[in-house]
Amino acid sequence: MNMIAFESSRTATIKSSPSMAVSLAAKAMRARGEHVVDLSLGEPDFDTPAHVVEAAIEAMRKGITRYTAPDGLPELRQAIVAKFKRENGLDYAMDEISIGNGAKQILFNAFLGTLEPGDEVVVPAPYWVSYTDIVILHGGTPKVVPCGVEDAFKITPERLEAAITPKTRWFLFNSPSNPTGAIYTAEELKALGDVLARHPRVAIMSDEIYEHIVCGDVPFTSFAVARPDLKDRTLIINGVSKAYAMTGWRLGYAAGPKDLTKVLNKLQSQSTTCPSSVTQYAAAAALNGPQDFVRKAVEEYKARGDLVARGFGAIPGLEVRAPEGAFYLFPKCAPYIGKTAPDGTKITNDTALASYLLTEGKVATVPGAAFGVEPYIRLSFATSRENLSLAIERTADALAKLR
């Protein structure tokens, strides 16, 4: 009998990514010959722009295939500095940039490098699935503030103030939001900044990876633009995955105070050493090159967002708020909780409802519980309009069978 414990107490406190788990289940069903519409993963269905791919090929041909510095190639750091200046009007120095293997690694490094046991991180819910688990893994305590559809999925200054304690180390939020598509206005960010200005020991982590994907009338505003007076304790998280359809390339970046980015880069040197040199070269091409792809993709996301907001909004019992950005819809599904499926299974919560929609409707969604609020389901509309129309039809039929 094996007496070795292969999991530490730290990793035992977290769970695997729920959205990835649903996607894998959907793929297994497809492998068995079932036709599943997968709305579980937040992954663009477009190909990476051709000039970015060509840049990667050029890098390999030039022999740019060796280790880089932990903080990345100078060409990429300069491209990131230029991007912040050009698109956001923000000035950062080269040593205020950190580059990682995806934005998730930046988050991981930031919490690993700053949290002491018992430190609190204020996180509005719904939140991206990995936020709280990464905080817990590094000894922190998530201070979750529920913000449902009745709150437009956004935290208010009053609720932020109430959540801050002497143990608060970070305030972490995401705009445009995964999973809701909500965008904080410049005025809302300024008001949150008024609260944070009264708490000088609280750092701000603004996840802005969906900044280019704006589907409604609310423009994107970076937190550091809304509150330049708090820039010296703000870490902006971004990356090339969503805007440039480069999820598999794994390249995220951050801008913040150099004392913080120094810590992030030190951790990078002792973990993955550096991001892929080839990916870095491609990411520089994405940031520096033509932006036509981004504009065309966003136009398509807008059309898809309108389609799902109308389609799922017409299904009785679903409470839908049209997405302002990103590529997600987050309907509230309260009337279906407590109902019974045709096979006698009770729909006890949104996790059970998502499971029912997958098995009965052949539509893969992620339950709201994964994002810290119930009862909701998240639908990604980063897929074709044909798939989305089919998903609307199947979901309506499946929900109509519940009694």
Side-chain angles (χ1 to χ4, degrees), residues 230-271:
L230 301 178
K231 181 170 173 276
D232 63 352
R233 53 182 164 117
T234 298
L235 184 69
I236 297 178
I237 308 287
N238 213 315
V240 298
S241 294
K242 310 300 181 179
Y244 301 99
M246 294 177 69
T247 51
W249 295 74
R250 307 313 303 136
L251 197 292
Y253 59 85
K258 66 179 180 180
D259 287 346
L260 176 56
T261 54
K262 183 179 179 180
V263 173
L264 304 187
N265 294 332
K266 178 171 69 172
L267 288 170
Q268 182 85 356
S269 75
Q270 293 287 14
S271 57

Side-chain angles (χ1 to χ4, degrees), residues 62-372:
K62 285 182 174 180
I64 304 174
T65 55
R66 294 174 173 82
Y67 296 131
T68 73
D71 59 355
L73 289 166
E75 299 97 311
L76 178 54
R77 281 186 287 128
Q78 185 55 56
I80 294 167
V81 167
K83 169 259 178 289
F84 278 113
K85 181 66 175 177
R86 179 180 67 248
E87 297 181 353
N88 308 107
L90 291 170
D91 291 310
Y92 285 102
M94 294 275 277
D95 61 0
E96 294 178 309
I97 302 298
S98 184
I99 301 168
N101 293 279
K104 186 182 287 188
Q105 190 186 24
I106 299 286
L107 287 158
F108 196 96
N109 287 348
F111 289 129
L112 175 60
T114 63
L115 289 180
E116 301 290 353
D119 281 352
E120 294 177 349
V121 178
V122 176
V123 186
Y127 49 72
W128 179 51
V129 294
S130 294
Y131 286 160
T132 54
D133 279 328
I134 293 175
V135 170
I136 292 168
L137 184 61
H138 296 309
T141 302
K143 191 75 172 291
V144 175
V145 181
C147 306
V149 65
E150 64 278 2
D151 306 305
F153 299 122
K154 291 183 277 192
I155 192 171
T156 63
E158 294 76 20
R159 299 185 77 184
L160 174 58
E161 181 71 64
I164 293 174
T165 75
K167 294 182 179 180
T168 304
R169 183 70 178 84
W170 286 95
F171 169 54
L172 165 61
F173 73 105
N174 177 209
S175 176
S177 165
N178 172 6
T180 68
I183 296 179
Y184 285 86
T185 66
E187 291 71 25
E188 288 168 337
L189 294 176
K190 289 174 184 176
L192 294 176
D194 287 341
V195 175
L196 294 161
R198 295 193 289 271
H199 299 277
R201 294 184 66 256
V202 178
I204 303 105
M205 196 178 300
S206 180
D207 184 348
E208 302 179 0
I209 198 164
Y210 292 97
E211 74 164 296
H212 290 105
I213 305 174
V214 175
C215 301
D217 298 327
V218 180
F220 165 78
T221 302
S222 173
F223 183 81
V225 171
R227 291 304 301 241
D229 56 315
L230 301 178
K231 181 170 173 276
D232 63 352
R233 53 182 164 117
T234 298
L235 184 69
I236 297 178
I237 308 287
N238 213 315
V240 298
S241 294
K242 310 300 181 179
Y244 301 99
M246 294 177 69
T247 51
W249 295 74
R250 307 313 303 136
L251 197 292
Y253 59 85
K258 66 179 180 180
D259 287 346
L260 176 56
T261 54
K262 183 179 179 180
V263 173
L264 304 187
N265 294 332
K266 178 171 69 172
L267 288 170
Q268 182 85 356
S269 75
Q270 293 287 14
S271 57
T272 60
T273 301
C274 64
S276 157
S277 58
V278 173
T279 292
Q280 289 186 59
Y281 202 81
L287 295 174
N288 289 333
Q291 302 298 301
D292 309 60
F293 169 84
V294 178
R295 289 188 287 271
K296 291 177 181 177
V298 170
E299 286 305 310
E300 179 60 21
Y301 289 135
K302 286 180 180 179
R304 295 173 181 182
D306 289 342
L307 172 63
V308 296
R310 289 196 310 271
F312 285 99
I315 298 175
L318 292 184
E319 186 176 352
V320 170
R321 181 177 175 84
E324 295 164 336
F327 36 64
Y328 306 103
L329 194 72
F330 201 63
K332 190 171 185 178
C333 50
Y336 294 102
I337 307 305
K339 292 198 172 187
T340 303
D343 66 357
T345 301
K346 196 79 168 178
I347 306 299
T348 54
N349 51 35
D350 57 17
T351 301
L353 183 63
S355 178
Y356 169 74
L357 289 176
L358 180 58
T359 55
E360 177 67 29
K362 303 297 187 290
V363 177
T365 64
V366 185
F371 307 96

